[in-house]
């Protein structure tokens, strides 16, 4: 028996290159590979960087589906199903809206695969595949099998999970919906073992909020300190309130932490249910503490909330420049299906597309709803212009020199290449047609 795994791309512009900074190893596939019994042959097509062989001899196609990749996943599935090959789907999108995904495949796994993967494979062998399998959430003691990445030429960074979910309930967030606002920590012995087995010294701890459980975070950082790795991760600004946490984090090899500031506007933070983090007046001091601890910040902002206009985008840009962040993202708000944000915008009749992820002509970078104070087009342009300005040579230069000494010399060296490349990619990413150009050869 053979299983073909597919990681779909968002879409491709005709004749254009794949965007390099996204070329990370897909950890999801390594987990599914590890769950698969050894006597089953496996292969992986990473649609972001290679052509899918639709004629491959296989017994089952498994596609991991995010909302941005849903349209393309359904198109890929159709091609295999025309040949009579069953297709199973799982991931964030299918968990958020299984009723849609079942229309395009033979079977959907809702939630995590760990508890139902082998039942699904048994049913397949017996010819009794069910339409929907409901996996648990948060139970995982499996070690990813990264042998499936051999020959794929990904960025030299190992992705490692230290937990799943998050205890908060931000209005726009798919994670809080998927994990019902709960955090599930992973056994530290497994994490240490996972890191030891990883090929690269640089590690991305993929959890969405590493510091969700502060005591667990401190003990984890102590446990990974002897491994002598350098890592980046994601967390909330409130981490800076605890100096011991920051110290332990740095000591364990933390170089960069991604912080979702989202907005500088108090009313926006309240509307998105993310005002739990800190009092507005503390923000600058908390940023300073993280920098003083020797950790660089990847700051992310989101625009489109009801108090956002040209001024609030500009305020965020100036704030990011003032603090000389290692890097930053200026994203527009996007209503992911089944989130509280989606339901609110739909109830207010503000969605431009009912299902933007399937809509004809919907492109990456476009807003899918009408913001209150500026038009959808204008908000998209404001975000693009903020990215351009933040990655302009002048801003990169000033941020680069301010970062000197803040991170290790190697991360400082990487700063230049990464930031200049991000600048180059701003317009390459804009307007990628979602789901389109399936047979376009990656370059
Ligand atoms: C690492 C990461 C990235 C990396 C690499 C992505 C990759 N494909 O490998 C980078 C930085 C490039 C990235 C980019 C983006 N990402 Co990202 N990313 C993540 C992150 C942090 C970790 C993913 C991961 O490895 N998880 C660990 C694996 C084991 O968990 P899992 O994927 O959930 O898989 C389990 C189940 O879902 C299920 N399952 C999943 N797939 C399948 C398939 C089958 C067949 C079955 C049976 C089961 C199954 O079983 C698995 C094991 O239990 C997640 C958040 C998260 N913590 O998961 C966001 C996340 C997936 N990203 C997200 C987004 C939005 C993006 C971007 C669009 C951001 C942007 N604005 O540009 C881009 C575009 C990505 C793309 N598709 O090209 C969203 C997706 C939301 C959604 N509704 O789809 C997430 C959930 C983050 C969030 N806060 O909402 N991302
Ligand atoms: S803190 Fe981050 S991961 Fe947690 S619910 Fe909010 S946005 Fe999602």
């Amino acid at each position: 028996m053979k299983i073909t795994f597919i990681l779909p791309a968002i879409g491709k512009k005709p004749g254009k290159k794949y965007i390099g900074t996204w070329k990370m190893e897909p950890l999801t596939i390594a987990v599914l590979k590890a769950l698969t019994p050894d006597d089953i042959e496996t292969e992986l097509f990473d649609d972001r960087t290679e052509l899918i062989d639709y004629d491959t001899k296989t017994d089952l196609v498994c596609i991991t589906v995010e909302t941005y990749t849903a349209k393309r996943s359904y198109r890929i599935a159709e091609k295999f199903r025309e040949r009579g090959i069953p297709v199973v789907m799982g991931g964030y999108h299918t968990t958020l809206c299984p009723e849609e995904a079942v229309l395009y495949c033979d079977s959907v796994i809702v939630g995590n695969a760990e508890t139902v993967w082998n039942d699904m494979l048994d049913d397949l062998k017996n010819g009794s595949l069910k339409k929907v399998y409901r996996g648990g959430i948060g139970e995982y003691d499996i070690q990813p099998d990264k042998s499936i990445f051999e020959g794929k030429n990904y960025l030299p960074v190992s992705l490692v999970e230290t937990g799943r979910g998050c205890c908060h309930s931000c209005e726009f967030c798919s994670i809080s919906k998927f994990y019902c606002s709960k955090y599930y920590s992973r056994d530290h012995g497994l994490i240490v073992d996972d890191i030891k087995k990883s090929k690269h010294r640089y590690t991305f701890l993929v959890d969405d909020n590493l510091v969700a459980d502060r005591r667990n975070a401190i003990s984890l950082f102590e446990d990974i300190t002897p491994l002598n790795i350098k890592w980046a991760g994601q967390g909330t600004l409130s981490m800076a309130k605890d100096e011991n946490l920051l110290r332990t984090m740095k000591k364990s090899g933390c170089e960069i932490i991604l912080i979702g500031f989202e907005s500088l506007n108090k009313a926006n933070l309240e509307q998105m249910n993310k005002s739990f983090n800190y009092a507005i007046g503390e923000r600058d001091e908390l940023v300073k503490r993280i920098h003083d601890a020797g950790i660089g910040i990847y700051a992310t902002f989101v625009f489109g909330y009801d108090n956002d206009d040209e001024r609030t985008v500009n305020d965020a840009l100036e704030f990011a420049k003032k603090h000389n962040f290692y890097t930053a993202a200026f994203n527009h708000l996007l209503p992911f299906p089944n989130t509280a944000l989606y339901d609110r915008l739909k109830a207010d009749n503000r969605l431009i597309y009912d299902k933007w992820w399937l809509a004809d002509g919907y492109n990456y970078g476009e807003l899918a709803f009408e913001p209150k104070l500026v038009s959808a087009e204008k908000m998209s342009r404001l975000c693009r212009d903020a990215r351009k300005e933040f990655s302009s040579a002048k801003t990169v230069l000033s941020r680069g020199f301010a970062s000197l000494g803040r991170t290790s010399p190697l991360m400082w060296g990487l700063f230049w290449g990464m930031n200049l490349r991000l600048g180059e990619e701003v317009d390459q990413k804009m307007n990628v047609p979602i789901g389109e150009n399936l047979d376009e050869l990656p370059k």
Side-chain angles (χ1 to χ4, degrees):
M1 185 175 167
K2 182 171 156 194
I3 300 181
T4 301
F5 292 110
I6 295 179
L7 179 82
I10 282 183
K12 282 174 193 161
K13 287 185 183 174
K16 294 285 186 241
K17 264 203 316 210
Y18 177 72
I19 295 150
T21 44
W22 294 5
K23 217 170 122 184
M24 285 191 185
E25 53 183 42
L27 179 59
T28 312
I29 305 293
V31 170
L32 298 178
K33 161 78 180 162
L35 292 170
T36 307
D38 287 344
D39 60 337
I40 298 181
E41 201 189 324
T42 55
E43 70 181 341
L44 163 65
F45 291 116
D46 187 333
D47 174 48
R48 303 174 304 174
T49 53
E50 61 193 332
L51 272 187
I52 298 171
D53 177 3
Y54 292 101
D55 296 321
T56 187
K57 208 170 161 302
T58 189
D59 301 290
L60 177 69
V61 168
C62 290
I63 310 180
T64 176
V65 189
E66 290 171 24
T67 303
Y68 263 115
T69 62
K71 194 203 277 186
R72 202 169 170 93
S73 301
Y74 300 158
R75 290 184 169 168
I76 293 169
E78 191 183 355
K79 290 197 169 220
F80 283 104
R81 294 178 87 207
E82 276 166 5
R83 284 179 52 208
I85 297 168
V87 175
V88 175
M89 292 183 182
Y92 276 91
H93 188 73
T94 64
T95 299
L96 294 173
C97 46
E99 66 293 343
E100 174 192 291
V102 287
L103 303 175
Y104 299 92
C105 63
D106 296 278
S107 184
V108 160
I109 288 188
V110 176
N112 289 150
E114 280 80 347
T115 51
V116 284
W117 181 253
N118 280 298
D119 296 345
M120 182 276 289
L121 290 180
D122 288 344
D123 289 349
L124 177 76
K125 280 181 202 152
N126 301 329
S128 57
L129 203 56
K130 296 187 187 69
K131 260 299 190 195
V132 177
Y133 292 85
R134 295 200 176 266
I137 49 167
E139 305 101 350
Y140 58 114
D141 49 12
I142 194 91
Q143 289 294 28
D145 180 351
K146 297 183 180 173
S147 64
I148 193 147
F149 301 149
E150 260 156 44
K152 294 289 184 194
N153 197 19
Y154 291 123
L155 294 174
V157 179
S158 295
L159 274 63
V160 172
E161 285 184 283
T162 69
R164 285 182 182 169
C166 172
C167 55
H168 300 298
S169 307
C170 302
E171 190 199 31
F172 55 83
C173 184
S174 303
I175 305 289
S176 68
K177 193 77 197 176
F178 188 115
Y179 289 99
C180 306
S181 300
K182 282 211 183 93
Y183 175 70
Y184 300 87
S185 60
R186 188 179 182 205
D187 176 82
H188 292 188
L190 285 174
I191 301 167
V192 168
D193 188 44
D194 195 349
I195 296 176
K196 277 187 180 161
K197 284 190 185 131
S198 297
K199 227 165 80 186
H200 310 291
R201 199 166 158 248
Y202 284 87
T203 304
F204 174 24
L205 303 179
V206 297
D207 309 41
D208 295 274
N209 186 2
L210 257 177
V211 292
D213 173 345
R214 213 168 282 185
R215 269 180 39 198
N216 175 58
I218 292 178
S219 101
L220 170 70
F221 301 148
E222 285 167 353
D223 289 343
I224 65 171
T225 299
L227 303 178
N228 198 22
I229 54 164
K230 299 281 178 214
W231 62 269
Q234 314 184 71
T236 49
L237 185 59
S238 56
M239 74 179 84
K241 291 180 182 168
D242 184 335
E243 288 194 15
N244 182 31
L245 177 73
L246 283 185
R247 241 192 332 270
T248 339
M249 230 163 131
K250 178 65 188 174
K251 204 170 159 211
S252 71
C254 179
E255 292 272 338
I256 305 289
I257 193 86
L258 182 151
I259 293 178
F261 287 89
E262 321 304 3
S263 178
L264 303 182
N265 180 289
K266 192 167 182 279
N268 279 346
L269 286 170
E270 279 162 7
Q271 190 178 28
M272 67 179 82
N273 203 18
K274 202 168 181 174
S275 55
F276 55 83
N277 245 328
Y278 52 85
I280 298 291
E282 297 174 300
R283 190 160 39 214
D284 288 317
E285 169 59 21
L286 295 177
V287 167
K288 184 175 175 304
R289 283 192 205 166
I290 296 178
H291 281 157
D292 288 349
I295 297 172
I297 295 178
Y298 178 168
T300 66
F301 302 92
V302 69
F303 303 102
Y305 265 93
D306 288 359
N307 295 284
D308 278 328
D309 57 12
E310 200 154 347
R311 191 180 38 88
T312 56
V313 179
N314 199 49
D315 287 349
L317 177 63
E318 289 309 315
F319 172 77
K321 289 205 280 191
K322 175 177 87 179
H323 284 293
N324 286 306
F325 288 132
Y326 189 88
T327 191
F330 301 87
N331 294 323
H332 63 80
L333 184 63
L334 204 55
F336 285 102
N338 230 330
T339 56
L341 171 70
Y342 186 91
D343 296 345
R344 177 169 65 83
L345 292 174
K346 191 172 169 73
D348 291 353
N349 229 355
R350 286 169 63 191
L351 293 178
I352 298 172
Y353 310 94
D354 187 38
K355 294 186 169 199
W356 55 267
W357 55 93
L358 298 182
D360 279 340
Y362 178 78
N363 294 326
Y364 186 87
E366 274 177 37
L367 271 81
F369 69 100
E370 291 295 352
K372 277 244 159 98
L373 302 181
V374 291
S375 69
E377 290 92 308
K378 179 149 191 197
M379 185 50 84
S380 166
R381 209 171 44 247
L382 288 172
C383 292
R384 181 256 171 215
D385 292 349
R387 290 174 203 134
K388 268 301 211 204
E389 166 67 21
F390 193 70
S391 55
S392 68
K394 188 171 158 238
T395 315
V396 170
L397 222 83
S398 112
R399 289 191 286 122
F401 285 111
S403 296
L404 184 60
R406 207 179 264 165
T407 56
S408 70
L410 200 90
M411 277 316 275
W412 190 68
L414 276 176
F415 169 90
W416 301 101
M418 183 178 155
N419 275 282
L420 293 170
R421 187 147 187 199
L422 283 171
E424 244 175 61
E425 288 180 356
V426 170
D427 286 326
Q428 290 173 19
K429 272 193 195 175
M430 284 300 281
N431 298 320
V432 168
I434 299 299
E436 300 301 329
N437 299 310
L438 213 58
D439 299 320
E440 186 75 18
L441 239 176
K443 297 195 176 154

